[in-house]
Amino acid sequence: MKKVMTALLAASALVTLAACGGNSDDSSGDSGSSNEKVTLKFQSLAFQKTTVAATKKIVADWNAANPNIQVEYVQGSWDSVHDQLVTQFQGGTAPDIIHDESADITGFANQGYLADLSPYLSQETKDAVPQGVWDSVSSDGKVWAAPTLLQSYVVFGNSALLKQAGIATTGDSLSWDQLQADAKKLTAGGKFGLGWGLKSPTATVLNLGMNFDAQFFEGTGRDAKAKIGDPELEVPKRIHAMAYTDKSIEPTSLTQSGSDVLPGFFAGKYAMIAGGNYAAQQMVEQAPKGFQWEVLPPLKGSSSKQAANPQTLSVPAEGKHIKQSAQFIDYFMKAENLAAVGQGDWLIPTTQAARDAILKSTGGKNGWEQTLAGAGELTKAPFQSVENYPKWKDQIATPALQEYLANKTDLETLGKKLSDGWGQVNS
């Protein structure tokens, strides 16, 4: 998922949202008569054409069936959502329905900006999502968001080049050692085995760090302490070794975004790329005619675990229409709707019914079978319970990792910067 997060500001006065009407009593966060029309603002961060279309269809279908509760689609951006929400919460202009991600909403929830949705979501929705995923959006028995889609990090391969090199692409997992060996084998004649767009490396490192039981943090909220040791440094160490010892990662790719490396992949500049599984949608749209690609089995260290950092739908705590907003969220969580946005974004729906719908619709082609198979290894990560994680990510971890992956500092210095930096931003 693409997102840029910055510091949370201190909690401010109660938030009053600009939305009209209501159809329930004041105790449920609603006002007005049951016949009064309500218009809810839904700020969506969908950005791929297919997902935007699927999301707008969900809104249109809801509006057709619910004339007294109309939803207005508002386009947001992952690049600015955090700062925008800080401003909106302080100014009383937050949308009625907020699209974000688990790692970003922790601070907002801790500061009291988000409503507890547990009284409003249907039992069907609660039962459809695994408890491990609910844990990523819950605390103290309260649910701050509905988790919708999950991202995993995968390796994509140029089928022709892999076959030519005799590299197997089947199995339940792909070990990091095997990835390194394959990348080295595929590096020859001015071409590289692997391209990896790590312009924004923190999310990748923390998610894949779970392959090696990396924690990065102990504790929760503002009391969390940094934990940086060998497991936490294993992923950057391996990437660095491939880039500068084996010389099997194209070094320029480390300064590029995930999208930036696609042209080089299509041109055969590198035989494999690593990145978010959502890149598959861009491949379907942009790959040259006849180009064959595939998704390799999930990466594995001591395990194949990755962070379940789902996209989320939340409601402001001081919203006037909490009940109606939650009703729309409940509708959004239906299997056919999650399947539509998941397939459009090439992301993993949080419910098995929605995943089954995608598998049936796609037949598992274009990497869907491998992508969906990784859902069971996604679990809550420690950083998702840390209030100042967004601030640490932007101000400390990202520049420190960028410097290390540019070969401008050593591993020990990286570890010290990650650890000491937490004290700086969390003081």
Side-chain angles (χ1 to χ4, degrees):
M1 301 166 216
K2 295 163 174 63
K3 46 269 183 207
V4 176
M5 297 174 279
T6 53
L8 284 175
L9 301 180
S12 64
L14 295 181
V15 180
T16 304
L17 298 181
C20 59
N23 66 358
S24 186
D25 56 70
D26 291 338
S27 64
S28 65
D30 305 308
S31 61
S33 70
S34 59
N35 294 322
E36 188 174 4
K37 184 177 179 180
V38 171
T39 299
L40 308 172
K41 290 186 181 295
F42 168 32
Q43 181 170 284
S44 170
L45 306 181
F47 67 96
Q48 303 209 71
K49 291 180 180 179
T50 48
T51 322
V52 171
T55 305
K56 287 184 175 180
K57 184 179 186 302
I58 293 171
V59 170
D61 290 347
W62 166 270
N63 286 340
N66 297 274
N68 286 338
I69 307 176
Q70 294 289 284
V71 174
E72 177 187 344
Y73 181 99
V74 178
Q75 186 64 58
S77 169
W78 285 110
D79 290 338
S80 58
V81 63
H82 183 85
D83 288 345
Q84 184 180 24
L85 286 173
V86 169
T87 301
Q88 288 173 331
F89 280 131
Q90 288 195 327
T93 59
D96 300 273
I97 302 153
I98 299 166
H99 185 190
D100 201 354
E101 65 165 0
S102 171
D104 196 39
I105 65 170
T106 299
F108 295 129
N110 289 345
Q111 294 185 53
Y113 284 126
L114 300 180
D116 175 15
L117 298 182
S118 56
Y120 305 105
L121 296 176
S122 69
Q123 194 60 44
E124 179 183 2
T125 295
K126 293 176 181 178
D127 291 343
V129 177
Q131 187 57 48
V133 180
W134 280 121
D135 289 344
S136 69
V137 293
S138 307
S139 63
D140 300 325
K142 297 180 179 180
V143 176
W144 307 117
T148 59
L149 301 175
L150 295 158
Q151 174 184 312
S152 63
Y153 289 88
V154 299
V155 178
F156 299 92
N158 179 321
S159 299
L161 294 180
L162 294 178
K163 184 177 181 180
Q164 182 180 332
I167 291 174
T169 59
T170 57
D172 295 332
S173 62
L174 172 66
S175 73
W176 278 83
D177 289 343
Q178 190 61 55
L179 172 66
Q180 186 169 357
D182 291 345
K184 192 171 183 178
K185 185 176 182 180
L186 289 160
T187 300
K191 297 181 179 180
F192 294 85
L194 185 63
W196 203 328
L198 286 173
K199 181 179 180 180
S200 300
T202 307
T204 301
V205 169
L206 266 66
N207 276 267
L208 286 176
M210 296 189 73
N211 282 184
F212 299 96
D213 301 317
Q215 299 292 308
F216 288 95
F217 296 99
E218 292 179 315
T220 61
R222 297 184 70 90
D223 296 328
K225 298 183 183 304
K227 181 182 180 182
I228 310 296
D230 290 343
E232 289 71 32
L233 298 175
E234 186 67 23
V235 167
K237 182 177 75 172
R238 284 176 176 265
I239 294 172
H240 187 278
M242 284 190 278
Y244 300 106
T245 302
D246 296 349
K247 302 187 184 303
S248 59
I249 292 182
E250 204 284 305
T252 303
S253 71
L254 297 176
T255 67
Q256 297 177 317
S257 70
S259 298
D260 290 340
V261 300
L262 290 179
F265 181 55
F266 297 149
K269 187 176 182 179
Y270 15 79
M272 301 181 292
I273 60 171
N277 61 283
Y278 60 81
Q281 179 61 41
Q282 295 167 286
M283 291 190 198
V284 169
E285 295 174 349
Q286 300 174 17
K289 186 177 181 180
F291 181 84
Q292 297 294 315
W293 57 272
E294 56 193 280
V295 178
L296 277 62
L299 282 169
K300 183 177 183 179
S302 55
S303 76
S304 293
K305 283 184 169 48
Q306 294 190 36
N309 183 27
Q311 292 186 21
T312 56
L313 295 178
S314 300
V315 179
E318 298 302 326
K320 293 181 178 179
H321 310 300
I322 296 175
K323 181 179 179 180
Q324 296 98 324
S325 298
Q327 287 174 336
F328 174 74
I329 291 175
D330 224 24
Y331 176 74
F332 195 100
M333 293 293 293
K334 289 186 176 298
E336 61 270 26
N337 292 332
L338 281 189
V341 292
Q343 190 170 342
D345 236 355
W346 225 278
L347 293 176
I348 304 169
T350 54
T351 71
Q352 186 62 52
R355 295 197 289 269
D356 290 344
I358 290 180
L359 195 60
K360 182 178 179 180
S361 173
T362 63
K365 296 179 180 179
N366 288 332
W368 269 115
E369 182 177 359
Q370 294 87 342
T371 296
L372 294 173
E377 295 293 336
L378 299 173
T379 187
K380 184 178 181 180
F383 71 85
Q384 291 168 269
S385 299
V386 176
E387 185 171 325
N388 275 328
Y389 165 75
K391 190 175 181 180
W392 176 82
K393 172 182 178 288
D394 286 343
Q395 297 183 20
I396 305 299
T398 294
L401 285 165
Q402 287 172 335
E403 187 178 27
Y404 175 69
L405 294 176
N407 204 29
K408 295 179 179 178
T409 188
D410 59 23
L411 193 66
E412 183 180 356
T413 302
L414 170 64
K416 183 173 174 52
K417 286 186 175 183
L418 295 177
S419 182
D420 293 350
W422 174 245
Q424 296 169 23
V425 300
N426 198 50
S427 58

